[in-house]
Amino acid sequence: MIKYSLKAEPEAAPAADVAIGEHIAPVPRISIQAFCESAETAAVIQIAGEDRRLAKAHLKMQMGGIAAAVEAYKNSPTPNVIMIESESRGDDLLTGLDQVAEVCDSGTRVVVIGRMNDVVLYRELVRRGVSDYLIAPVGPLDVMRAVSGLFAAPDAKPVGRTIAVVGAKGGVGASTIAHNIGWAIARDLWLDAVVADLDLPFGTAGLDYNQDPPQGIADAVHSPERIDSAFIDRLLSSCTEHLSLLAAPATLERVYDFGADAFDAIFDVLRSSVPCIVLDVTHLWTGWARRTLIAADDILLVAAPDLANLRNAKNIIDLLRASRPNDRRPHYCLNQVGVPKRPEIKPADFAKALESEPAAVIGFDPQLFGTAANNGQMIAEVSARHRTAEMFQHLAQLLTARSETKRAKGGLLTPLIEKLMGRKA
Ligand SMILES: Nc1ncnc2c1ncn2[C@@H]1O[C@H](COP(=O)(O)OP(=O)(O)OP(=O)(O)O)[C@@H](O)[C@H]1O
Ligand SMILES: [Mg+2]
């Protein structure tokens, strides 16, 4: 590893120490990708990445600056944060960043490390939605301060979004779909995800991910006074590099009658530290289940193609739309479609009754789903190129708002505006 040394004069190099009273908050479980141009900056970012404050983040780094970033994201989703070093000046820098914006997913925050200290340039960067601009040479603390500031500022958006998956009836495959989507978000979108199994007595997430953790969501919901991010962290079991599970106990000694707000604190903590939280909401109509759906950032309703599912789906969607007038409408998908000899209601009839097209129509495939369930595997692990595996990828993109990937323009974020105003004032 290249050793970092402060080459410039102290006044040219931003503060190398944390100022007295300054607190650089540890960053959540975000993904960061850095594209450097100089070995010095690369070394500094590497050091920052090893700091305790970035311990939860996943940092990848490569050389090549703007050009490498554009190339990297042409066909793949962008992480939570992109750091780009550029030695270009003025218009060259802005043109390069415009190319990055074209391949950048909305929600991704861009931090630029440049050479110029120029207020006109700052303004143009703000206009393009760049979240922060650091002037090289930078130190590890500058990097940490910038990344931490994106998430710790009082007005920063919470890092995490909840996606609730619920069945229109019992047994329609909602949990299977939730688990596969969580897995796809972590593997294909490179976003850290937690799957929370809210079916406390009978949940199957542990089985599906081949995990048998001794602790999980019950420990949290039964100890509300202990809930904070360190406590929830200890209850998570790691399934893959980016995927963790908040498992259900799946035991029957206790009953699980909760108040309507019993899970609020757990979800708040998860939202503050994990980009994507998939809630496997069982088919129930309790106070907490309804509240979980209404409060979710996005909803996927899973229905099988029969009349009871259609009626329930309509009721659930109507209720959710009325309770969430300013939100995206809930998505729904049809599952277990095409059972031999079974009369079924057609996707077009669902679309008419529910006033929107299904986000996916997943075929009935007992061989594939049965193998996955019995082996504790995901569909893509049983059959990587299967159409159903691709549908889970598609649903993962849709539900993380990464579908219209390559069109995020302007307004990536605004913290730099405040910074700029502070400077001007
Ligand atoms: N498309 C499919 N083809 C065949 N089998 C499927 C399909 N989708 C799910 N299954 C199977 O259906 C069964 C029920 O699935 P799952 O437990 O995910 O449903 P659920 O809606 O979560 O049920 P519950 O109401 O108990 O929470 C599982 O055995 C699963 O493997
Ligand atoms: Mg279930």
Side-chain angles (χ1 to χ4, degrees):
M1 196 180 71
I2 315 155
K3 211 159 183 292
Y4 167 67
S5 62
L6 263 185
K7 282 173 140 190
E9 293 297 314
E11 58 269 31
D17 293 324
V18 180
I20 293 169
E22 179 185 10
H23 173 64
I24 300 181
V27 309
R29 292 167 183 265
I30 47 163
S31 47
I32 309 169
Q33 195 145 9
F35 297 88
C36 301
E37 285 200 333
S38 69
E40 288 77 16
T41 302
V44 165
I45 292 179
Q46 177 100 34
I47 291 172
E50 289 162 9
D51 187 90
R52 65 181 171 82
R53 278 159 288 216
L54 260 64
K56 281 193 195 160
H58 293 273
L59 171 71
K60 277 194 194 163
M61 198 171 51
Q62 67 182 81
M63 302 304 287
I66 288 176
V70 172
E71 192 53 38
Y73 300 125
K74 260 187 197 148
N75 298 313
S76 51
T78 45
N80 298 107
V81 177
I82 305 177
M83 295 194 108
I84 303 181
E85 182 185 26
S86 176
E87 298 190 351
S88 308
R89 307 200 156 245
D91 285 349
D92 284 351
L93 175 59
L94 295 174
T95 311
L97 289 174
D98 285 345
Q99 289 169 3
V100 175
E102 268 168 38
V103 295
C104 202
D105 298 313
S106 59
T108 291
R109 303 164 201 213
V110 177
V111 174
V112 176
I113 302 172
R115 303 270 151 194
M116 290 175 70
N117 188 353
D118 170 3
V119 78
V120 178
L121 175 66
Y122 286 142
R123 248 185 237 133
E124 283 304 315
L125 292 172
V126 169
R127 217 167 57 73
R128 282 162 170 77
V130 166
S131 294
D132 207 347
Y133 179 70
L134 310 179
I135 299 165
V138 292
L141 287 167
D142 302 315
V143 172
M144 287 178 233
R145 195 178 285 122
V147 176
S148 169
L150 298 177
F151 300 98
D155 56 346
K157 295 186 200 161
V159 62
R161 297 173 69 252
T162 53
I163 298 168
V165 183
V166 65
K169 237 177 80 170
V172 293
S175 297
T176 309
I177 289 175
H179 307 161
N180 277 277
I181 289 174
W183 191 87
I185 288 170
R187 193 192 66 162
D188 302 320
L189 303 181
W190 204 55
L191 285 175
D192 266 62
V194 164
V195 169
D197 192 340
L198 301 182
D199 185 355
L200 277 81
F202 303 116
T204 51
L207 297 178
D208 284 359
Y209 293 130
N210 205 5
Q211 299 268 326
D212 188 14
Q215 75 293 314
I217 195 158
D219 301 75
V221 79
H222 289 302
S223 317
E225 71 294 342
R226 294 178 64 195
I227 293 173
D228 61 19
S229 81
F231 180 55
I232 298 285
D233 252 17
R234 284 200 297 279
L235 302 180
L236 295 176
S237 61
S238 171
C239 300
T240 65
E241 189 190 351
H242 290 284
L243 181 68
S244 303
L245 168 65
L246 194 52
T251 54
L252 303 179
E253 289 79 35
R254 303 175 96 139
V255 291
Y256 303 100
D257 299 331
F258 303 120
D261 57 2
F263 292 92
D264 288 10
I266 301 174
F267 299 158
D268 286 348
V269 166
L270 286 171
R271 267 199 178 108
S272 72
S273 60
V274 188
C276 214
I277 303 116
V278 178
L279 305 176
D280 177 357
V281 188
T282 182
H283 177 72
L284 274 180
W285 203 243
T286 58
W288 65 261
R290 182 177 65 176
R291 186 177 172 100
T292 300
L293 292 180
I294 290 174
D297 291 299
D298 255 314
I299 299 161
L300 177 68
L301 178 67
V302 180
D306 66 24
L307 188 58
N309 272 279
L310 178 59
R311 180 202 61 185
N312 296 354
K314 173 129 186 72
N315 286 345
I316 293 171
I317 288 179
D318 285 351
L319 180 120
L320 291 174
R321 290 196 67 196
S323 321
R324 304 156 48 94
N326 304 311
D327 281 276
R328 277 213 274 188
R329 59 160 61 231
H331 299 287
Y332 74 97
C333 71
L334 297 177
N335 188 31
Q336 302 173 345
V337 172
V339 175
K341 298 198 174 153
R342 179 173 74 172
E344 294 184 350
I345 296 177
K346 300 252 165 324
D349 295 326
F350 266 85
K352 206 164 153 205
L354 303 182
E355 296 168 43
S356 66
E357 295 294 321
V361 177
I362 301 171
F364 178 70
D365 191 337
Q367 172 77 32
L368 177 65
F369 280 79
T371 307
N374 288 342
N375 292 350
Q377 287 181 304
M378 294 294 106
I379 296 298
E381 292 176 301
V382 176
S383 178
R385 289 174 198 284
H386 199 279
R387 233 185 123 231
T388 304
E390 282 171 17
M391 278 187 211
F392 290 133
Q393 281 183 12
H394 158 75
L395 289 171
Q397 291 193 338
L398 180 74
L399 292 164
T400 50
R402 300 216 157 213
S403 50
E404 304 86 27
T405 45
K406 312 305 166 194
R407 247 179 294 128
K409 321 343 106 143
L412 286 180
L413 276 201
T414 50
L416 191 56
I417 292 180
E418 280 92 62
K419 209 165 154 178
L420 183 61
M421 310 254 275
R423 272 190 195 127
K424 280 197 298 184

